[in-house]
Amino acid sequence: MSSSKSNGKKKNSKSASSSHTKKKKKKSSKSTVTEEEDLEVTVEVVASKSSLSKNNNPIVVSFPGGFPQSVRRDDDDDVNSSNGKPPEFVWRRLHASPDNEKKTAPDKSKKSSKHDKGRRVIGRDGICTYESVLPSTAQARNHRLCVGVFDKRRGVLQVSLAAEDGHVFALEQSVTGYKDNCNDTTTTPSKFKTASDRHKALFSSFGSAKKRKVLKSQEANRVTVDTTVGGLSIGSFANQPQMSESNRKALQDQKSLQQDQQNGEPLDAVALAYAEARQKLLPKWNEAVDKPSLVYDAREIAGKGVWERLYSQTSNPDRVIEDASSEGRPGVISWHSVVKSPIMKTIDAANNSGNKSRTRQLLTTALLLNHMISFWNGVALSSRPVRGDPKGIARDFSIANVDLTARFIGLFLTSTGAGGRYALSTQDRDRLLIHILLMYLMANGISTTSKNEEIMKVPTMEPLFTQLKGGDDGGRNAIQSVNMVTLATNLLREAGCTIRKKGKSDIASELKLPLTFPKAPQKRLKRGR
């Protein structure tokens, strides 16, 4: 690009310049004397063949659908701030797809790249989208638009051809997010081939809410052969719009159960009900493990934050074991007898082996079990409802951790209304009991065989049963009438454990791999004579 003054000479073949003199007249308010000023303007014309100008030519757009509201100027303000942010435009090059590129023979007469399919201008504001496309196959225009920019400081008027050989991009305006119910871009003319379809589309767009409700009711009452019992399938029957959500979900569950296989036998609705009840009863389990101790996770039961807090209390395993064996020492945890006697002996043996990390994990599990037994004593051995906030309940039940008490309330109690009132239902009692039984297995039953294989087995559960029944003092409580051995046997079997009975008051429990849950019982109908 070059410029010249009034001599009118061209310095470069790619640009031309000319100098003009304009006269301005100024009238004085006091006299009629006319003053003239000479203003020298240099005109620079940028050639369209310049590689620099070709990449930086201004892009000119027009708005046939109306000027955007976001950039309209008011009489008083420069820009109305309430109209939103002005649109931002992007200029992109369209590329040909590989499939179209192979099918279309290259045109050697064109200088553009074989990947070039044209140009696209797109912009958006808070309301509308503006878009225009110029294909590379567009015919040459007889007229071209040039854009001039006047620099007052330099006195230069720079004229350059608009982008794409002087093309004006006419922007098509559309409302962002608007979906036309009647004139959808994906709708084919065959969709409205019947009078009923045209009638429905008309009232969907312009009808009243009452009329649309009537049409929806008529559509729901329509019955075809595919949606009748005994028709094609359960899936087609469940797709009826008039069917309630609960019935539709039940049919869809039945369909999914027919596709699933368990031990080569198809599942049914009874098996599904048992699977859902098992998930509500047991803590989360993991079947894809190679050790029994990893099936149920004590961290998951306590919660991550509570577990880390309990784990920090076992930084000195020797001191914790010593406190558990002491009687009446001030400032230490009140350990229950079932935790002090069999469990601490097992943990002491692991501590003597030198594995501190394993010892701390067992101590944290035992500490969690000790708090869980305290919670059991407060809610299961008493017939009175639980009242108060977690802090007050923790104080009444002798639980040192308030967050753990809130965790137990959420897992094992049912709220009965405002004011912090809770009740322990039969389902809540069974859920709390199976958590205690599994925690007892994890704290007291992990050992290693001579073949270096891990097993999780407790030879006797009687000490725990005695503790859960109220201890050795034998006071009357709400759990005395419950057959603890039978209840614990059923719950442990539901958790995948193997049970061996040892008289009327004791059992042995073991968790083996692979994890296997009991099958749902099948009710057999009696045959008539």
Side-chain angles (χ1 to χ4, degrees):
M1 182 184 299
S2 62
S3 63
S4 63
K5 298 293 181 179
S6 60
N7 52 15
K9 296 181 181 180
K10 296 183 179 179
K11 294 183 179 181
N12 196 324
S13 61
K14 295 184 180 180
S15 64
S17 64
S18 61
S19 177
H20 301 275
T21 302
K22 295 185 179 180
K23 296 182 178 180
K24 289 187 177 180
K25 296 181 179 181
K26 294 184 179 179
K27 292 184 179 181
S28 174
S29 60
K30 297 182 179 180
S31 64
T32 58
V33 178
T34 303
E35 297 180 359
E36 296 183 355
E37 289 185 1
D38 294 339
L39 179 62
E40 186 174 308
V41 178
T42 302
V43 180
E44 295 181 352
V45 180
V46 182
S48 61
K49 294 182 180 181
S50 174
S51 60
L52 180 62
S53 64
K54 189 174 182 181
N55 295 328
N56 296 276
N57 285 351
I59 303 170
V60 182
V61 298
S62 64
F63 298 89
F67 207 57
Q69 185 71 19
S70 57
V71 293
R72 288 183 181 177
R73 296 182 180 274
D74 296 339
D75 296 337
D76 299 334
D77 302 331
D78 292 341
V79 177
N80 189 0
S81 60
S82 64
N83 294 335
K85 186 179 180 181
E88 298 181 357
F89 292 92
V90 179
W91 189 60
R92 298 175 180 175
R93 176 180 297 174
L94 302 179
H95 298 280
S97 61
D99 297 336
N100 296 333
E101 184 180 340
K102 294 179 181 179
K103 296 179 181 179
T104 306
D107 189 359
K108 298 182 180 180
S109 61
K110 295 184 179 180
K111 296 182 180 181
S112 60
S113 173
K114 63 180 181 178
H115 299 284
D116 190 5
K117 295 293 291 184
R119 299 292 187 271
R120 178 188 183 189
V121 176
I122 184 171
R124 294 183 179 89
D125 56 13
I127 302 176
C128 296
T129 300
Y130 310 92
E131 183 178 4
S132 179
V133 177
L134 175 66
S136 60
T137 57
Q139 298 180 356
R141 292 161 296 281
N142 296 328
H143 61 279
R144 299 175 177 86
L145 181 70
C146 295
V147 179
V149 180
F150 178 64
D151 189 351
K152 293 182 179 180
R153 183 178 59 83
R154 297 172 52 209
V156 176
L157 177 64
Q158 185 180 18
V159 181
S160 61
L161 196 63
E164 294 302 309
D165 200 17
H167 179 71
V168 179
F169 290 86
L171 298 175
E172 296 182 1
Q173 180 176 333
S174 61
V175 179
T176 306
Y178 173 73
K179 183 177 181 182
D180 194 346
N181 295 332
C182 184
N183 298 325
D184 195 354
T185 55
T186 60
T187 302
T188 58
S190 60
K191 183 176 181 180
F192 304 107
K193 61 184 178 180
T194 64
S196 177
D197 294 337
R198 291 193 297 269
H199 184 265
K200 180 180 177 181
L202 178 63
F203 279 92
S204 297
S205 299
F206 305 102
S208 62
K210 183 177 180 180
K211 186 61 177 178
R212 289 196 298 267
K213 186 176 181 181
V214 172
L215 292 176
K216 184 178 180 180
S217 177
Q218 292 177 356
E219 185 70 20
N221 293 331
R222 185 179 301 172
V223 179
T224 61
V225 67
D226 296 341
T227 60
T228 57
V229 178
L232 293 180
S233 63
I234 294 178
S236 59
F237 179 69
N239 292 330
Q240 294 184 101
Q242 70 270 23
M243 181 171 291
S244 64
E245 198 64 30
S246 58
N247 291 341
R248 181 182 292 108
K249 185 178 183 301
L251 287 174
Q252 290 175 351
D253 292 341
Q254 178 69 15
K255 180 182 177 181
S256 62
L257 286 175
Q258 290 179 355
Q259 299 174 354
D260 295 336
Q261 298 290 329
Q262 183 179 13
N263 298 328
E265 299 179 1
L267 296 175
D268 54 5
V270 178
L272 175 64
Y274 269 80
E276 292 179 352
R278 184 181 296 113
Q279 291 179 354
K280 295 179 181 180
L281 175 69
L282 302 177
K284 291 184 178 179
W285 64 85
N286 186 5
E287 301 181 32
V289 294
D290 55 353
K291 294 181 179 180
S293 60
L294 302 178
V295 175
Y296 298 99
D297 191 1
R299 298 179 184 87
E300 184 70 24
I301 298 175
K304 184 178 179 181
V306 176
W307 175 267
E308 292 178 354
R309 191 170 303 178
L310 295 176
Y311 189 79
S312 63
Q313 299 179 15
T314 62
S315 57
N316 189 350
D318 296 331
R319 179 64 180 273
V320 176
I321 296 174
E322 181 183 355
D323 290 343
S325 60
S326 63
E327 294 291 343
R329 284 186 56 181
V332 299
I333 301 173
S334 177
W335 295 93
H336 295 284
S337 59
V338 68
V339 181
K340 292 169 57 176
S341 178
I343 294 180
M344 282 303 170
K345 292 181 180 179
T346 304
I347 298 177
D348 192 18
N351 187 36
N352 294 332
S353 64
N355 192 346
K356 184 177 180 180
S357 176
R358 180 59 180 166
T359 303
R360 292 189 64 186
Q361 185 176 359
L362 290 174
L363 281 175
T364 308
T365 306
L367 186 59
L368 179 61
L369 173 62
N370 191 77
H371 290 314
M372 198 172 291
I373 294 176
S374 299
F375 190 80
W376 167 273
N377 293 340
V379 298
L381 300 185
S382 175
S383 59
R384 294 177 298 177
V386 182
R387 297 180 181 180
D389 57 352
K391 185 176 181 180
I393 295 175
R395 181 181 63 252
D396 297 339
F397 295 170
S398 301
I399 301 177
N401 195 310
V402 179
D403 294 335
L404 183 59
T405 305
R407 174 75 172 173
F408 289 163
I409 293 174
L411 286 176
F412 309 121
L413 292 182
T414 301
S415 177
T416 59
R421 297 182 179 182
Y422 305 95
L424 182 72
S425 63
T426 304
Q427 292 80 6
D428 297 335
R429 182 204 63 190
D430 294 345
R431 189 185 307 114
L432 175 57
L433 180 58
I434 187 59
H435 278 70
I436 294 177
L437 295 173
L438 292 175
M439 293 291 297
Y440 188 76
L441 274 173
M442 287 184 280
N444 192 36
I446 301 176
S447 59
T448 306
T449 63
S450 58
K451 298 181 180 179
N452 202 20
E453 296 179 355
E454 183 186 270
I455 59 175
M456 192 160 72
K457 180 180 179 180
V458 175
T460 175
M461 301 285 289
E462 188 174 6
L464 180 62
F465 294 159
T466 304
Q467 179 73 57
L468 297 178
K469 294 283 284 187
D472 298 330
D473 51 357
R476 186 67 182 175
N477 53 61
I479 207 71
Q480 287 290 339
S481 59
V482 178
N483 190 335
M484 186 64 67
V485 177
T486 303
L487 181 58
T489 300
N490 295 335
L491 292 176
L492 287 171
R493 283 176 177 170
E494 194 65 34
C497 298
T498 303
I499 304 299
R500 182 171 59 87
K501 290 186 177 182
K502 300 176 62 177
K504 295 183 179 181
S505 61
D506 193 13
I507 59 174
S509 177
E510 182 178 4
L511 183 62
K512 298 180 180 180
L513 293 181
L515 185 64
T516 304
F517 295 114
K519 296 182 180 180
Q522 299 292 333
K523 186 176 181 180
R524 297 180 180 180
L525 297 177
K526 296 182 179 180
R527 295 182 180 180
R529 295 182 179 179

